Amino acid sequence: MKEAVLDVLTTLLGSPWWYVALFSFSAIDGFFPVVPSESLVITAGVFAANGTTNLALVIAVSAAGAVLGDHVSYFVGRFAGAKLLRHLRTAPRRRAGFDWASSTLAERGGLILVIARYIPGGRTVTTLTAGMVGYPLYRFTCFDLLAGVSWGVYSGLIGYSGGIAFERNPILGLLFGLGLALSVTVLVEAGRWLYRRRRPESDEAEPENSDPVTSSR
């Protein structure tokens, strides 16, 4: 059974269409965060260890797709911001995420665009918010390029390290890569939780009549 799975994966990964799929899924994940683009990049990285895929090409294609997807999300926020904001007012949980992204963009600027890529659900919320609050496009593009390339390198190398560690068993290498990525995500979330716990209450308090969208323009 395992050999059959490996044969199918090797056949698919050896096809040039795999790079098209990587680009497409990485782009779609930017504005429709249900597509497991990171898992696909990690998988391609695992098989790069035995030469089935090209690691540099995997990283480049994934990063390019991610940057494109982020810009789609940005322009959706920019041109449909008012409608989205009305929807957010009826969805408290989503509104909370928007408020966090908006205030963090105002405080830290483009740095949050890089950090949010490694926070579950943070990438789309932040890029949408950047468009909604009118964050300058040239600055968005510069920071997003940094975020996209770093994400491509991170995901590709995690997979590649698993492939090297388990060269004779790519399935174990894939599980190792996915587990390592999950561990990093858990650590990031734990760090965010501790940071929020340690922040003084005065830093978290905001005037009731403040609106992150209008105050950030």
Side-chain angles (χ1 to χ4, degrees):
M1 178 65 180
K2 185 168 65 175
E3 287 76 10
V5 172
L6 283 175
D7 288 341
V8 171
L9 284 174
T10 302
T11 301
L12 292 174
L13 290 167
S15 167
W17 287 103
W18 179 257
Y19 298 104
V20 176
L22 271 182
F23 177 85
S24 301
F25 280 105
S26 296
I28 294 170
D29 195 22
F31 52 89
F32 189 65
V34 179
V35 181
S37 60
E38 184 172 305
S39 299
L40 293 176
V41 180
I42 290 172
T43 301
V46 169
F47 282 86
N50 63 14
T52 303
T53 60
N54 182 289
L55 181 61
L57 191 54
V58 166
I59 292 172
V61 166
S62 303
V67 171
L68 174 63
D70 289 346
H71 278 72
V72 171
S73 179
Y74 174 88
F75 282 112
V76 168
R78 189 146 194 170
F79 294 110
K83 185 175 181 179
L84 287 172
L85 187 56
R86 285 195 298 270
H87 175 67
L88 287 170
R89 283 174 178 150
T90 64
R93 291 186 179 179
R94 294 179 182 177
R95 173 72 190 199
F98 166 76
D99 287 346
W100 168 79
S102 181
S103 61
T104 310
L105 272 171
E107 293 173 8
R108 297 178 177 84
L111 180 62
I112 189 59
L113 293 170
V114 180
I115 297 174
R117 181 168 295 275
Y118 301 93
I119 299 174
R123 171 189 179 187
T124 305
V125 170
T126 306
T127 52
L128 271 172
T129 303
M132 292 169 72
V133 301
Y135 192 78
L137 177 59
Y138 74 94
R139 293 188 63 191
F140 176 86
T141 300
C142 290
F143 282 106
D144 193 52
L145 282 170
L146 176 60
V149 171
S150 69
W151 174 78
V153 171
Y154 158 80
S155 301
L157 288 182
I158 279 184
Y160 187 77
S161 64
I164 291 293
F166 300 94
E167 187 174 357
R168 296 184 179 180
N169 195 330
I171 295 296
L172 283 181
L174 177 58
L175 293 175
F176 172 82
L178 293 174
L180 185 57
L182 179 61
S183 300
V184 171
T185 300
V186 170
L187 288 174
V188 169
E189 282 297 287
R192 278 212 311 147
W193 181 81
L194 288 173
Y195 175 73
R196 287 197 301 266
R197 294 272 295 180
R198 291 170 181 265
R199 285 184 65 184
E201 293 183 3
S202 58
D203 289 347
E204 297 180 352
E206 295 183 0
E208 294 184 359
N209 60 350
S210 66
D211 188 333
V213 176
T214 55
S215 63
S216 298
R217 290 190 184 275

